[in-house]
């Protein structure tokens, strides 16, 4: 093989290797993905508390660090201005269990009392979800699921 062919081959390997490294680095920086979100609201009945149960699958190549959940009424101040990650800082954590490669199944459950319903606006509500991956990347879905109160 001529010296020119060797130099071109080495250059091609270096360029392709660099592109592969870039592709792997880019793939590692992908934001977490939230799928199959669902909310189930059960109103309190007499002396029995109701509940809000939210479930979703979260995926992140670097692993899911945590998932925070916040239910909010559609007619609240958040309707006029979008929720931010800062707004989610005080949100409650969901419980997540492994469900496949890089996937966790997350569940959030909250008891709902008659007093809670009396103090809360009726009508449509949304569930906002913040997923934080092991590499620090995040995904915020402000309307991951919905339900009606009243």
């Amino acid at each position: 093989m001529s010296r020119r062919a060797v130099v071109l081959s080495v250059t091609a390997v270096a360029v392709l290797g660099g592109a592969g490294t870039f592709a792997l680095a880019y793939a590692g920086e992908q934001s977490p993905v939230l799928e199959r979100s669902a909310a189930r609201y059960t109103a309190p009945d007499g002396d029995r508390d109701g509940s809000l149960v939210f479930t979703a699958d979260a995926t992140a190549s670097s692993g899911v660090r945590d998932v925070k959940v916040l239910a909010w009424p559609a007619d609240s101040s958040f309707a006029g201005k979008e929720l931010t990650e800062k707004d989610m800082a005080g949100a409650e954590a969901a419980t997540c269990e492994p469900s496949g490669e890089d996937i966790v199944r997350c569940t959030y459950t909250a008891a709902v009392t008659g007093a809670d319903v009396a103090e809360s606006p009726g009508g449509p509500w949304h569930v906002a979800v913040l997923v934080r991956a092991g590499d620090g990347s995040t995904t915020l879905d402000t309307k991951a699921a919905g339900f009606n109160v009243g």
Side-chain angles (χ1 to χ4, degrees):
M1 188 182 289
S2 73
R3 179 178 164 98
R4 181 176 176 193
V6 169
V7 169
L8 288 175
S9 295
V10 169
T11 303
V13 168
V15 168
L16 291 175
T21 301
F22 173 76
L24 285 174
Y26 179 74
E29 295 174 10
Q30 296 289 326
S31 295
V33 176
L34 187 68
E35 298 179 305
R36 290 180 274 293
S37 300
R40 187 180 74 238
Y41 170 75
T42 305
D45 185 18
D47 291 340
R48 192 188 79 218
D49 286 347
S51 65
L52 170 62
V53 178
F54 171 79
T55 57
D57 290 341
T59 306
S61 58
S62 63
V64 174
R65 182 181 305 168
D66 60 23
V67 174
K68 292 192 171 194
V69 178
L70 176 69
W72 60 279
D75 64 354
S76 73
S77 63
F78 292 133
K81 69 168 192 92
E82 284 294 315
L83 275 165
T84 65
E85 289 185 23
K86 186 177 178 181
D87 295 323
M88 296 294 290
E92 295 182 358
T95 301
C96 300
E97 299 291 331
S99 178
E101 186 175 338
D102 299 330
I103 301 172
V104 293
R105 181 72 173 169
C106 300
T107 303
Y108 169 79
T109 303
V112 179
T113 66
D116 293 333
V117 173
E119 295 173 1
S120 300
W125 283 60
H126 303 291
V127 178
V129 180
L130 176 65
V131 180
R132 189 168 42 164
D135 64 4
S137 61
T138 60
T139 294
L140 174 61
D141 187 342
T142 61
K143 296 179 182 173
F147 61 96
N148 282 306
V149 174

PDB file of all heavy atoms in Angstrom, residues 1-14:
ATOM      1  N   MET A   1       0.854  -1.165   0.000  1.00  0.00           N
ATOM      2  CA  MET A   1       0.000   0.000   0.000  1.00  0.00           C
ATOM      3  C   MET A   1       0.897   1.223   0.000  1.00  0.00           C
ATOM      4  O   MET A   1       1.894   1.270   0.686  1.00  0.00           O
ATOM      5  CB  MET A   1      -0.884  -0.019   1.242  1.00  0.00           C
ATOM      6  CG  MET A   1      -1.937   1.043   1.219  1.00  0.00           C
ATOM      7  SD  MET A   1      -2.999   1.111   2.695  1.00  0.00           S
ATOM      8  CE  MET A   1      -3.974  -0.329   2.566  1.00  0.00           C
ATOM      9  N   SER A   2       0.498   2.220  -0.772  1.00  0.00           N
ATOM     10  CA  SER A   2       1.320   3.420  -0.857  1.00  0.00           C
ATOM     11  C   SER A   2       1.165   4.257   0.421  1.00  0.00           C
ATOM     12  O   SER A   2       0.208   4.104   1.161  1.00  0.00           O
ATOM     13  CB  SER A   2       0.903   4.258  -2.076  1.00  0.00           C
ATOM     14  OG  SER A   2      -0.337   4.887  -1.829  1.00  0.00           O
ATOM     15  N   ARG A   3       2.172   5.114   0.605  1.00  0.00           N
ATOM     16  CA  ARG A   3       2.159   5.985   1.789  1.00  0.00           C
ATOM     17  C   ARG A   3       0.934   6.887   1.784  1.00  0.00           C
ATOM     18  O   ARG A   3       0.309   7.125   2.813  1.00  0.00           O
ATOM     19  CB  ARG A   3       3.452   6.810   1.782  1.00  0.00           C
ATOM     20  CG  ARG A   3       3.557   7.767   2.921  1.00  0.00           C
ATOM     21  CD  ARG A   3       4.910   8.490   2.836  1.00  0.00           C
ATOM     22  NE  ARG A   3       4.919   9.656   3.647  1.00  0.00           N
ATOM     23  CZ  ARG A   3       5.431   9.703   4.863  1.00  0.00           C
ATOM     24  NH1 ARG A   3       5.979   8.633   5.366  1.00  0.00           N
ATOM     25  NH2 ARG A   3       5.404  10.821   5.547  1.00  0.00           N
ATOM     26  N   ARG A   4       0.519   7.358   0.613  1.00  0.00           N
ATOM     27  CA  ARG A   4      -0.646   8.235   0.485  1.00  0.00           C
ATOM     28  C   ARG A   4      -1.911   7.493   0.910  1.00  0.00           C
ATOM     29  O   ARG A   4      -2.759   8.040   1.617  1.00  0.00           O
ATOM     30  CB  ARG A   4      -0.753   8.723  -0.950  1.00  0.00           C
ATOM     31  CG  ARG A   4      -1.895   9.648  -1.159  1.00  0.00           C
ATOM     32  CD  ARG A   4      -1.889  10.178  -2.575  1.00  0.00           C
ATOM     33  NE  ARG A   4      -3.058  11.002  -2.754  1.00  0.00           N
ATOM     34  CZ  ARG A   4      -3.478  11.397  -3.911  1.00  0.00           C
ATOM     35  NH1 ARG A   4      -2.817  11.067  -5.009  1.00  0.00           N
ATOM     36  NH2 ARG A   4      -4.546  12.136  -4.014  1.00  0.00           N
ATOM     37  N   ALA A   5      -2.065   6.251   0.507  1.00  0.00           N
ATOM     38  CA  ALA A   5      -3.242   5.458   0.865  1.00  0.00           C
ATOM     39  C   ALA A   5      -3.284   5.231   2.381  1.00  0.00           C
ATOM     40  O   ALA A   5      -4.355   5.264   2.989  1.00  0.00           O
ATOM     41  CB  ALA A   5      -3.231   4.126   0.126  1.00  0.00           C
ATOM     42  N   VAL A   6      -2.124   5.007   3.007  1.00  0.00           N
ATOM     43  CA  VAL A   6      -2.063   4.793   4.438  1.00  0.00           C
ATOM     44  C   VAL A   6      -2.492   6.076   5.176  1.00  0.00           C
ATOM     45  O   VAL A   6      -3.274   6.031   6.118  1.00  0.00           O
ATOM     46  CB  VAL A   6      -0.654   4.351   4.874  1.00  0.00           C
ATOM     47  CG1 VAL A   6      -0.519   4.378   6.384  1.00  0.00           C
ATOM     48  CG2 VAL A   6      -0.341   2.978   4.322  1.00  0.00           C
ATOM     49  N   VAL A   7      -1.984   7.224   4.724  1.00  0.00           N
ATOM     50  CA  VAL A   7      -2.333   8.493   5.355  1.00  0.00           C
ATOM     51  C   VAL A   7      -3.832   8.751   5.224  1.00  0.00           C
ATOM     52  O   VAL A   7      -4.495   9.144   6.179  1.00  0.00           O
ATOM     53  CB  VAL A   7      -1.509   9.655   4.748  1.00  0.00           C
ATOM     54  CG1 VAL A   7      -2.046  11.003   5.195  1.00  0.00           C
ATOM     55  CG2 VAL A   7      -0.059   9.502   5.122  1.00  0.00           C
ATOM     56  N   LEU A   8      -4.409   8.507   4.031  1.00  0.00           N
ATOM     57  CA  LEU A   8      -5.847   8.705   3.827  1.00  0.00           C
ATOM     58  C   LEU A   8      -6.649   7.753   4.706  1.00  0.00           C
ATOM     59  O   LEU A   8      -7.666   8.133   5.280  1.00  0.00           O
ATOM     60  CB  LEU A   8      -6.219   8.511   2.359  1.00  0.00           C
ATOM     61  CG  LEU A   8      -5.765   9.625   1.419  1.00  0.00           C
ATOM     62  CD1 LEU A   8      -6.093   9.264  -0.017  1.00  0.00           C
ATOM     63  CD2 LEU A   8      -6.411  10.951   1.790  1.00  0.00           C
ATOM     64  N   SER A   9      -6.217   6.504   4.838  1.00  0.00           N
ATOM     65  CA  SER A   9      -6.924   5.533   5.672  1.00  0.00           C
ATOM     66  C   SER A   9      -6.899   5.959   7.137  1.00  0.00           C
ATOM     67  O   SER A   9      -7.914   5.898   7.823  1.00  0.00           O
ATOM     68  CB  SER A   9      -6.298   4.145   5.539  1.00  0.00           C
ATOM     69  OG  SER A   9      -6.455   3.678   4.224  1.00  0.00           O
ATOM     70  N   VAL A  10      -5.743   6.385   7.624  1.00  0.00           N
ATOM     71  CA  VAL A  10      -5.624   6.819   9.011  1.00  0.00           C
ATOM     72  C   VAL A  10      -6.493   8.058   9.237  1.00  0.00           C
ATOM     73  O   VAL A  10      -7.187   8.172  10.250  1.00  0.00           O
ATOM     74  CB  VAL A  10      -4.150   7.099   9.364  1.00  0.00           C
ATOM     75  CG1 VAL A  10      -4.025   7.806  10.703  1.00  0.00           C
ATOM     76  CG2 VAL A  10      -3.372   5.799   9.374  1.00  0.00           C
ATOM     77  N   THR A  11      -6.494   8.998   8.284  1.00  0.00           N
ATOM     78  CA  THR A  11      -7.322  10.201   8.405  1.00  0.00           C
ATOM     79  C   THR A  11      -8.796   9.832   8.445  1.00  0.00           C
ATOM     80  O   THR A  11      -9.564  10.350   9.259  1.00  0.00           O
ATOM     81  CB  THR A  11      -7.040  11.161   7.238  1.00  0.00           C
ATOM     82  OG1 THR A  11      -5.656  11.480   7.235  1.00  0.00           O
ATOM     83  CG2 THR A  11      -7.860  12.434   7.360  1.00  0.00           C
ATOM     84  N   ALA A  12      -9.215   8.901   7.581  1.00  0.00           N
ATOM     85  CA  ALA A  12     -10.620   8.481   7.552  1.00  0.00           C
ATOM     86  C   ALA A  12     -11.015   7.829   8.878  1.00  0.00           C
ATOM     87  O   ALA A  12     -12.088   8.094   9.415  1.00  0.00           O
ATOM     88  CB  ALA A  12     -10.859   7.517   6.397  1.00  0.00           C
ATOM     89  N   VAL A  13     -10.153   6.979   9.416  1.00  0.00           N
ATOM     90  CA  VAL A  13     -10.437   6.335  10.702  1.00  0.00           C
ATOM     91  C   VAL A  13     -10.543   7.387  11.802  1.00  0.00           C
ATOM     92  O   VAL A  13     -11.445   7.343  12.646  1.00  0.00           O
ATOM     93  CB  VAL A  13      -9.356   5.280  11.040  1.00  0.00           C
ATOM     94  CG1 VAL A  13      -9.474   4.823  12.474  1.00  0.00           C
ATOM     95  CG2 VAL A  13      -9.475   4.100  10.090  1.00  0.00           C
ATOM     96  N   ALA A  14      -9.643   8.378  11.793  1.00  0.00           N
ATOM     97  CA  ALA A  14      -9.676   9.420  12.819  1.00  0.00           C
ATOM     98  C   ALA A  14     -10.951  10.246  12.713  1.00  0.00           C
ATOM     99  O   ALA A  14     -11.600  10.547  13.713  1.00  0.00           O
ATOM    100  CB  ALA A  14      -8.454  10.331  12.696  1.00  0.00           C
TER     101      ALA A  14
END
